[in-house]
C-alpha cells in the first residue's frame, strides 16, 4: 500500500517521545535525520511534489498550536453547528489525481504529529465552551490508512468513549478496518468510506484499494454495528461517466446491507482556484484537471448545467436502492 520510508526526519524536541520511538521501530531500515522544525523541510522552496511522491519521506513533529480548524465550505457539515477538523497528519499515502493536497502543500512528504494529548486537550476545551463538536479526523490525510504505524484512529475512538457531545467522522479509502475492528462501535462515530467506480480507481486514484476491497471493509463495519457513511465524491465527468457511476450505485445496492448505511453523500468536482493552478502546473498528465471548469469567486467547479446533470442522474440512480432520507448532496 505504501513504500517504506528511506529517511525519517525528526524534530529535535520529540526525538525521545514514546511515539517517535514506536514509529522508528516500524521502519528499522530508515535513516533518521534530526531537524529543528518540520517546516524547515516541509515548507522549503523549489520542491517538486510529483518527484517526491515517488519516494516520499516521513517527518515526525510536534504541533504547537491550532489544534482545531473550522470546516471548509467544500465539505458537508451535515447540519452540525460546530463543524471542525484537525490535522494530526499532513499529506496522504495515496496519489489521487484530483486531490487538493498537491495544490495546497509544497511537499509530498508525510508529516505526523506525535503529541496527540494536546489535540485531545484542545478538543476537551472546545467541548466545555461550546457543548458540542462535529470533528472530521481525516481531512488533510487518510488517517485510517496510516493505522499500522500511526495508530491515532484507535486513540481517538478510545477518547470519544467518554465524550458524549463529541461526534467524529473518520473518512477513508483504505481497507484498514481490521486495525480498529476490536474497538466497540460508538453511536457518535461515523466511519465514512469514499467509493468510486473501479475504472476511476484504476486510472485516477493511484495506489488506493480496489472497489471490492473497500466494499468488504464497509460490509464488515456495518455487520459490527458501526454507523457507516458512503461518499461518492468527487464525481468526475470522465468518458462514459454516467455508465460508470450508475453501475457503482447498482453494485452498492446489490452488495451492501443498504439499511445499515447511515447516509450516502455525493458531489461533483470543486476546488480552490489557486490549488488547481498549482496542480495543473505539476500534473500535466491528468486530463481531469484540464476540464473547462466554471470559475466563481475563488472556486472552480463544473458548470451549472453539468452539475444539474450529475445531481439528476445520481439522485435517480440512488433512489432505486436508498431511501430519500439517506441521500445527501455534499456540494451543488
Amino acid at each position: 500500500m505504501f513504500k517504506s520510508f528511506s529517511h525519517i526526519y525528526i524534530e529535535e524536541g520529540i526525538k525521545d517521545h514514546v511515539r517517535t520511538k514506536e514509529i522508528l521501530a516500524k521502519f528499522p531500515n530508515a535513516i533518521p535525520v534530526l531537524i529543528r522544525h518540520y517546516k524547515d523541510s516541509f515548507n522549503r522552496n523549489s520542491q517538486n511534489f510529483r518527484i517526491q511522491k515517488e519516494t516520499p519521506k516521513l517527518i515526525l513533529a510536534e504541533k504547537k498550536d491550532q489544534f482545531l480548524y473550522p470546516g471548509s465550505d467544500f465539505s458537508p457539515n451535515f447540519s452540525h453547528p460546530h463543524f471542525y477538523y484537525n490535522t494530526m497528519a499532513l499529506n496522504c499515502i495515496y496519489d489521487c489525481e484530483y486531490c487538493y493536497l498537491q495544490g495546497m502543500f509544497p511537499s509530498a512528504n508525510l508529516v505526523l504529529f506525535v503529541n496527540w494529548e494536546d489535540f485531545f486537550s484542545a478538543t476537551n476545551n472546545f467541548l466545555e465552551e461550546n457543548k458540542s463538536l462535529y470533528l472530521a479526523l481525516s481531512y488533510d490525510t487518510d488517517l485510517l490508512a496510516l493505522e499500522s504505524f500511526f495508530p491515532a484512529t484507535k486513540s481517538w475512538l478510545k477518547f470519544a468513549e467518554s465524550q458524549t457531545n463529541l461526534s467524529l467522522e473518520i473518512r477513508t479509502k483504505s481497507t484498514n478496518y481490521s486495525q480498529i475492528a476490536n474497538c466497540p462501535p460508538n453511536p457518535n462515530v461515523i466511519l465514512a468510506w469514499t467509493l468510486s467506480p473501479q475504472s476511476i480507481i484504476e486510472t485516477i486514484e493511484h495506489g488506493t484499494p480496489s472497489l471490492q476491497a473497500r466494499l468488504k471493509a464497509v460490509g464488515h463495519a456495518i455487520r459490527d454495528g458501526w454507523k457507516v457513511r458512503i461518499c461518492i465524491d468527487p464525481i468526475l465527468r470522465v468518458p462514459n461517466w454516467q455508465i460508470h457511476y450508475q453501475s457503482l450505485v447498482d453494485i452498492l445496492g446489490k452488495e451492501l446491507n443498504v439499511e445499515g448505511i447511515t447516509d450516502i453523500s455525493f458531489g461533483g468536482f470543486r476546488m480552490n482556484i489557486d490549488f488547481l493552478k498549482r496542480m495543473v502546473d505539476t500534473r500535466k498528465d491528468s486530463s481531469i484537471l484540464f476540464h473547462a471548469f466554471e470559475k466563481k469567486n475563488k472556486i472552480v467547479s463544473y458548470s451549472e448545467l453539468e452539475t444539474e446533470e450529475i445531481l439528476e442522474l445520481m439522485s435517480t440512480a440512488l433512489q432505486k436502492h436508498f431511501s430519500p432520507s439517506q441521500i445527501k448532496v455534499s456540494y451543488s
Side-chain angles (χ1 to χ4, degrees):
M1 183 186 296
F2 61 90
K3 302 180 180 70
S4 291
F5 304 102
S6 64
H7 294 72
I8 299 180
Y9 296 88
I10 308 156
E11 284 187 348
E12 292 174 347
I14 51 98
K15 63 183 176 64
D16 294 321
H17 195 286
V18 61
R19 292 194 188 96
T20 300
K21 294 179 178 179
E22 288 171 352
I23 293 168
L24 288 173
K26 296 284 187 178
F27 302 100
N29 295 324
I31 299 172
V33 180
L34 288 179
I35 57 175
R36 184 190 67 85
H37 193 279
Y38 82 92
K39 289 184 179 180
D40 294 343
S41 174
F42 191 69
N43 288 1
R44 61 185 171 81
N45 296 326
S46 303
Q47 298 184 86
N48 186 308
F49 196 100
R50 295 307 317 147
I51 292 176
Q52 286 184 340
K53 197 67 177 177
E54 293 299 314
T55 56
K57 309 301 186 289
L58 191 58
I59 303 173
L60 305 183
E62 177 184 11
K63 191 162 179 62
K64 300 291 180 64
D65 53 25
Q66 195 75 48
F67 296 98
L68 293 170
Y69 296 89
S72 166
D73 292 338
F74 295 121
S75 299
N77 62 15
F78 298 97
S79 301
H80 288 267
H82 303 300
F83 168 45
Y84 283 74
Y85 70 98
N86 65 21
T87 55
M88 299 191 72
L90 305 178
N91 269 326
C92 181
I93 62 171
Y94 301 135
D95 187 22
C96 301
E97 293 181 16
Y98 55 76
C99 181
Y100 69 91
L101 297 178
Q102 57 195 326
M104 183 170 76
F105 293 144
S107 172
N109 292 328
L110 180 65
V111 179
L112 304 180
F113 296 111
V114 300
N115 54 316
W116 300 352
E117 289 75 15
D118 292 326
F119 287 86
F120 297 146
S121 178
T123 303
N124 258 329
N125 293 339
F126 186 97
L127 286 168
E128 288 176 2
E129 294 178 13
N130 298 278
K131 307 307 178 187
S132 70
L133 173 62
Y134 179 75
L135 183 60
L137 292 184
S138 202
Y139 213 77
D140 291 341
T141 188
D142 189 323
L143 201 62
L144 189 58
L146 311 176
E147 194 72 7
S148 63
F149 60 94
F150 189 66
T153 303
K154 275 196 285 284
S155 289
W156 273 102
L157 293 177
K158 184 67 177 177
F159 173 76
E161 289 178 5
S162 60
Q163 303 291 336
T164 57
N165 293 328
L166 173 64
S167 297
L168 295 180
E169 186 202 66
I170 303 166
R171 188 171 298 203
T172 188
K173 291 174 183 166
S174 82
T175 55
N176 267 1
Y177 174 73
S178 59
Q179 296 279 341
I180 60 170
N182 291 331
C183 299
N186 184 330
N188 291 335
V189 175
I190 292 180
L191 304 181
W193 268 272
T194 297
L195 301 180
S196 299
Q198 182 59 29
S199 59
I200 297 287
I201 293 171
E202 291 174 358
T203 59
I204 294 173
E205 295 182 355
H206 307 292
T208 64
S210 69
L211 174 60
Q212 283 300 318
R214 294 186 216 180
L215 289 177
K216 184 177 179 181
V218 171
H220 194 169
I222 292 173
R223 289 192 298 274
D224 285 347
W226 288 94
K227 285 187 174 179
V228 171
R229 170 173 293 142
I230 300 297
C231 307
I232 307 176
D233 189 3
I235 292 172
L236 302 172
R237 294 178 66 93
V238 297
N240 300 314
W241 67 271
Q242 301 96 325
I243 296 173
H244 294 310
Y245 284 97
Q246 284 177 323
S247 175
L248 171 63
V249 173
D250 289 339
I251 290 171
L252 300 184
K254 179 181 178 182
E255 298 197 16
L256 294 179
N257 173 10
V258 172
E259 294 179 355
I261 295 173
T262 300
D263 52 47
I264 182 164
S265 68
F266 67 94
F269 180 91
R270 68 277 187 191
M271 186 172 294
N272 176 289
I273 191 170
D274 293 329
F275 293 174
L276 182 63
K277 286 178 180 177
R278 295 186 199 115
M279 290 165 62
V280 167
D281 286 342
T282 60
R283 196 151 205 165
K284 300 187 188 313
D285 60 331
S286 178
S287 61
I288 62 167
L289 302 179
F290 290 85
H291 189 88
F293 294 113
E294 187 174 87
K295 301 177 180 65
K296 187 175 182 181
N297 298 325
K298 295 286 287 182
I299 301 172
V300 293
S301 63
Y302 292 130
S303 70
E304 186 174 336
L305 187 63
E306 290 171 324
T307 299
E308 287 179 0
E309 187 179 8
I310 289 173
L311 295 180
E312 183 177 346
L313 180 136
M314 291 301 293
S315 296
T316 300
L318 288 166
Q319 286 172 14
K320 295 178 182 176
H321 304 283
F322 299 87
S323 68
S325 63
Q326 289 175 294
I327 302 170
K328 313 288 184 184
V329 178
S330 58
Y331 184 85
S332 60

